[in-house]
C-alpha cells in the first residue's frame, strides 16, 4: 500500500487555516511547561529565535551550535533584506500578494497553506525585530525604508544596509541571551549534533560531540528541534559559510525522517566568479544590487572575444552595443526576475559565447545608469559595504569613473556569475513543522517547507524567523501537550548507549582509514561532480554519470581518506570528514531526486524539458507533488514517497515574467 503523508493542514480556505489551527490546537498548561525540555540544535536566525521564544514561554531549552558564539551562525552573512507585506510604499502590496509572489516564484511547487501562513506572520516579524532594536534602514521622515527583490513588482524588502542578517541575528541573540540569563536556555557552544536518539518511535534526545574536547555527550528532552541550515556546501564551492554542513539533517534522514525535494537547489545569479582552482569559497553580491545595477553582456560576439582576451574594457563598449538581456527578455520584471530565471539567462549567454572575463563565464552588473541618475553618494549609502567587499576581493571599485562615450559617463562594472547559494529542499515537515519522526521538528533552511522549487530573495530570513518566533513555539505545543504526561527519558537508556556507540564507531572508522587523501581534496572533487552533472543544467544521462562518479568517489573516501591527529581534543579535519561523509549521502539524494523528476521547475532544470525559449517546462500532470525520500541504507536507492500538492487559492499556471 502506498505510504500516505499526513501534512496536518486544517480544512477550509487558505486565509482561515492558520486561525482554524490555532483555535483547535492544544497548548501546554503553564505549570507543565516547567517540566518540559526541548533541545534546539542551531543558533542561526531560525534556531536562536525558536530557542529564545520557547524559553520565554517557560520551556526548558537546551540550545547548541558549532560556532564559539551563536552570533557566528551562517545567518550573519545574509546581506540584502527580509520581506514583509507591510505595504509601507503604498504600492498595492498585501498578504495575498506576498503569498502569490512566493508561490509563483517557487514555480508552483510549494505547499499553499504554509506559504499563506508565512505571508500572514511576515509583518509580525518586522515589529518583533524593531522592538528588539534591529536598526532597519529608514526614510528621511523616520518610516522604515524598503527596496525591491526579484520576482516582485512591489517594494517590500526591509534591510539594514548590506548586513541585514547580522543585525537580525544580533536582535535574536539579545532575546536568547535574556533567556540564558533567566536560566530558561542552556547554551552549548562548540557542540555538534551527531545523532538523534529515538525511543519508542519518538525523538527523545541527541548525541553531540564537544568539539573542543572531542568527547561525545548525551542530551535528553521531550522534543528535538533541528535548525541546522542548508546543504549547499555539498557542491564544495558555494556562497555558504565554510562551517555549513548537513550532518544533523542527514543523520535524521538516516534515522527515518523523510527528506523532501532535495533537487531544488538555488543557484544565485550574482556571485563573484570563480577565479582559480585554489578557491574554497564563493562570495555573494546581494540581489539588492539588481535594484540599481543593470546586467549586460556585449551584443557582438567579437566584442565578447576581445573582452575575454583583455584587449578591450567594458567601458569601451557603447550603449547601443550592450545587450541588457534580462530587460530584453523579461520587460515586466527586467533585472528583478527571480534567481533561477536570471541564472539560466546568464548561462545561456555564456554558453553562446557572449560571456566575459578571461574564462567567458561572467556577465556585467553595471551601476553607470544609476550613478548618473542618483549620484555615487546615494549608491554608496545603499550598497557601500558590498562595493567595498567587491573591491577587496577583485581590486576593482565598481563605482570608479572609467570613461565617457557620446556624453554618457561609464563607471567600472562588477563581474558576476551564478553560484550555489541556498537549498529549498530539506527535511520534510508537516504543517506543524514536525518531521516524520514524532517529536522531531525542523525549522529554517533545513526544512523544505515554503519555497517550492525556487526561493525568492529576502524570503529565507522571513521563513527562518517566522518558524522560530511565530510558528514552531505554538505548533510544538500540540505535541508537547501530551508529553507532559510522560516522564522524561534518562540518558542511561539503551537507545542512548546504542546511538553513542554507533557514533563512536563511525569516528573510529574515519580515523583508521589512514589513507593518503585530505578531506578537502575529496570534497573538492565531489563539488566538481555536483556542479558538472547535478548543477544548473541537468540531463538524465548526466545525472546517472554523476551518481556513478559519486559512488566511486565515496569508495575512495572510505578507503583512502587521511585524517591527521587523534579523536581526542580539537580535530577540525575529523569534523570535516564527518561532514563530507554526509555530503556524499546528500549529493546522491539530490541526484536521485533530480533524476526522478522528469520536468524542469524553478532551480531544478532538466535540459530535456525546456520551452523553445529555454524556459523551464513543468509537468503538472505527473509531478505536482512534494518528492519525499526514505532512507534505505548505505549504497541502496532511497524510496520515493509523494505528498500530492493541492491548490485552492492560486491557479497553477506557467510562470510569466515577461508582461
Ligand atoms: C551570502 C548570503 C547572503 C544571504 N542573504 C540573504 C538575504 O539577504 N535575505 C534572506 O532572506 N536570505 C539570505 N540568505 C539566506 C539566509 O541567510 C539563510 O537561508 C538563513 O540565514 C538560514 O538560517 P538558519 O537559521 O536556517 O540556518 P543557519 O544560519 O545556517 O544556522 C545553522 C545553525 O546550526 C548550527 N549547526 C549546524 N550543524 C550543526 C550540528 N550538527 N550540531 C549543532 N549545531 C549545528 C550552526 O552552528 C548554526 O548555529 C543569504 C545566504 C547567504 C549565503
Amino acid at each position: 500500500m502506498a505510504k500516505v503523508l499526513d501534512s496536518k493542514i486544517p480544512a477550509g480556505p487558505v486565509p482561515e487555516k492558520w486561525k482554524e489551527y490555532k483555535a483547535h490546537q492544544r497548548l501546554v498548561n503553564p505549570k507543565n511547561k516547567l517540566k518540559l525540555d526541548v533541545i534546539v540544535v542551531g543558533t542561526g536566525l531560525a534556531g536562536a529565535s525558536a530557542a529564545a521564544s520557547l524559553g520565554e514561554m517557560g520551556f526548558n531549552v537546551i540550545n547548541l551550535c558549532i560556532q564559539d558564539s551563536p552570533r557566528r551562525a551562517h545567518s550573519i552573512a545574509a546581506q540584502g533584506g527580509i520581506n514583509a507585506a507591510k505595504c509601507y510604499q503604498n504600492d498595492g502590496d498585501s498578504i495575498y500578494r506576498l503569498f502569490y509572489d512566493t508561490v509563483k516564484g517557487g514555480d508552483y511547487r510549494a505547499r499553499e497553506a504554509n506559504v499563506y501562513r508565512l505571508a500572514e506572520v511576515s509583518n509580525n516579524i518586522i515589529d518583533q525585530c524593531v522592538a528588539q532594536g534591529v536598526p532597519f534602514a529608514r526614510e528621511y521622515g523616520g518610516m522604515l525604508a524598503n527596496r525591491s527583490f526579484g520576482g516582485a513588482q512591489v517594494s517590500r524588502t526591509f534591510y539594514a544596509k548590506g548586513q541585514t542578517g547580522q543585525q537580525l541575528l544580533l536582535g535574536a541573540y539579545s532575546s536568547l541571551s535574556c533567556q540564558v540569563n533567566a536560566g530558561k536556555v542552556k547554551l552549548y557552544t562548540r557542540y555538534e549534533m551527531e545523532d538523534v536518539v529515538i525511543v519508542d518511535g519518538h525523538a527523545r534526545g541527541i548525541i553531540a560531540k564537544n568539539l573542543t574536547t572531542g568527547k561525545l555527550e548525551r542530551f535528553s528532552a521531550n522534543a528535538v528541534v533541528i535548525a541546522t541550515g542548508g546543504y549547499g556546501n555539498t557542491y564544495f564551492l558555494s556562497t555558504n559559510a565554510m562551517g555549513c554542513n548537513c550532518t544533523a539533517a542527514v543523520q535524521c534522514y538516516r534515522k527515518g525522517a523523510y527528506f523532501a525535494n532535495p533537487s531544488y537547489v538555488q543557484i544565485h545569479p550574482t556571485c563573484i566568479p570563480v577565479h582559480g582552482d585554489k578557491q574554497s569559497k564563493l562570495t555573494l553580491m546581494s540581489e539588492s544590487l539588481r535594484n540599481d545595477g543593470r546586467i549586460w553582456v556585449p551584443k557582438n560576439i567579437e566584442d565578447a572575444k576581445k573582452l575575454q582576451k583583455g584587449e578591450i574594457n567594458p567601458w569601451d563598449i557603447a550603449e547601443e552595443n550592450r545587450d541588457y538581456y534580462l530587460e530584453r527578455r523579461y520587460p515586466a520584471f527586467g533585472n528583478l526576475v527571480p534567481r533561477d530565471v536570471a541564472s539560466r539567462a546568464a548561462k545561456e549567454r555564456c554558453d553562446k559565447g557572449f560571456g566575459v572575463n578571461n574564462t567567458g563565464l561572467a556577465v556585467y552588473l553595471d551601476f553607470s545608469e544609476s550613478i548618473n541618475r542618483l549620484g555615487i553618494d546615494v549608491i554608496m549609502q545603499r550598497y557601500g559595504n558590498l562595493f567595498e567587499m567587491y573591491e577587496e576581493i577583485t581590486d576593482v571599485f565598481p563605482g570608479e569613473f572609467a570613461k565617457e562615450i557620446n556624453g554618457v559617463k561609464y563607471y567600472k562594472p562588477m563581474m558576476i556569475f551564478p553560484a550555489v547559494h541556498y537549498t529549498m529542499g530539506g527535511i520534510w515537515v508537516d504543517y506543524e513543522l514536525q518531521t516524520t519522526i514524532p517529536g522531531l521538528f525542523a525549522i529554517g533552511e533545513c526544512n523544505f517547507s515554503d519555497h517550492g522549487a525556487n526561493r525568492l530573495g529576502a524570503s529565507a530570513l522571513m521563513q527562518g524567523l517566522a518558524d522560530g518566533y511565530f510558528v514552531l513555539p505554538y505548533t510544538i505545543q500540540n505535541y508537547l501537550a501530551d508529553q507532559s504526561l510522560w516522564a522524561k527519558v534518562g540518558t542511561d537508556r539503551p537507545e542512548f548507549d546504542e546511538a553513542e556507540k554507533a557514533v563512536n564507531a563511525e569516528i573510529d572508522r574515519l580515523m583508521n582509514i589512514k589513507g593518503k587523501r585530505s578531506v578537502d581534496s575529496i570534497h573538492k572533487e565531489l563539488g566538481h561532480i555536483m556542479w558538472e552533472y547535478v548543477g544548473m543544467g541537468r540531463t538524465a544521462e548526466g545525472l546517472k554519470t554523476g551518481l556513478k562518479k559519486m559512488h566511486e568517489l565515496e569508495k575512495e573516501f572510505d578507503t583512502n581518506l587521511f585524517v591527521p591527529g587523534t579523536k581526542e581534543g580539537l580535530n577540525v579535519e575529523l569534523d570535516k570528514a564527518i561532514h563530507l561523509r554526509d555530503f556524499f549521502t546528500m549529493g546522491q539524494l539530490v541526484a536521485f531526486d533530480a533524476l526522478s523528476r522528469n520536468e524542469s521547475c524553478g532551480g531544478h532544470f532538466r535540459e530535456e524539458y525546456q520551452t523553445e525559449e529555454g524556459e523551464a517546462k513543468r509537468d503538472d500532470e505527473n509531478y505536482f507533488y512534494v518528492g519525499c525520500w526514505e532512507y534505505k541504507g548505505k549504497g541502496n536507492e532511497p524510496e520515493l514517497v509523494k505528498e500530492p500538492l493541492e491548490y485552492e487559492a492560486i491557479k497553477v499556471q506557467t510562470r510569466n515574467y515577461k508582461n
Side-chain angles (χ1 to χ4, degrees), residues 41-48 64-67 70 72-83 149 164-165 191-194 227-230 239-241 243-245 247-248 281 284 286 339 421-422 443-446 455-462 464 579:
V41 188
T43 61
L45 278 170
L64 306 90
C65 69
I66 55 177
Q67 289 84 5
R72 290 179 191 246
H74 159 69
S75 290
I76 201 173
Q79 300 172 347
I82 175 168
N83 287 331
F149 263 58
T164 316
Y191 273 73
E192 176 164 300
M193 167 180 159
E194 306 294 352
T228 49
T239 61
N240 287 192
C244 288
N245 69 91
T247 286
K281 171 96 182 68
L284 175 78
S286 167
R339 293 172 179 176
H421 175 67
Y422 180 88
I443 57 173
E445 191 174 338
C446 81
R455 172 175 73 80
L456 289 186
S459 287
L461 301 183
M462 173 173 70
H579 298 166

Side-chain angles (χ1 to χ4, degrees), residues 342-353:
S343 291
R344 266 197 297 282
K347 183 175 182 296
E348 187 272 341
R349 285 293 78 194
C350 294
D351 286 351
K352 293 238 163 81

Side-chain angles (χ1 to χ4, degrees), residues 443-507:
I443 57 173
E445 191 174 338
C446 81
N447 76 20
F448 90 104
S449 68
D450 296 350
H451 308 294
N454 172 63
R455 172 175 73 80
L456 289 186
S459 287
L461 301 183
M462 173 173 70
Q463 181 228 329
L465 289 180
D467 287 358
Y469 285 133
F470 297 108
V471 181
L472 178 97
Y474 300 99
T475 59
I476 198 173
Q477 293 195 48
N478 213 14
Y479 174 79
L480 289 174
D482 283 343
Q483 303 310 306
S484 47
L485 309 173
W486 294 25
K488 204 181 92 177
V489 302
T491 54
D492 52 355
R493 290 201 41 135
E495 290 86 351
F496 278 88
D497 293 342
E498 210 177 291
E500 186 179 323
K501 221 165 102 189
V503 173
N504 232 328
E506 266 300 285
I507 290 176

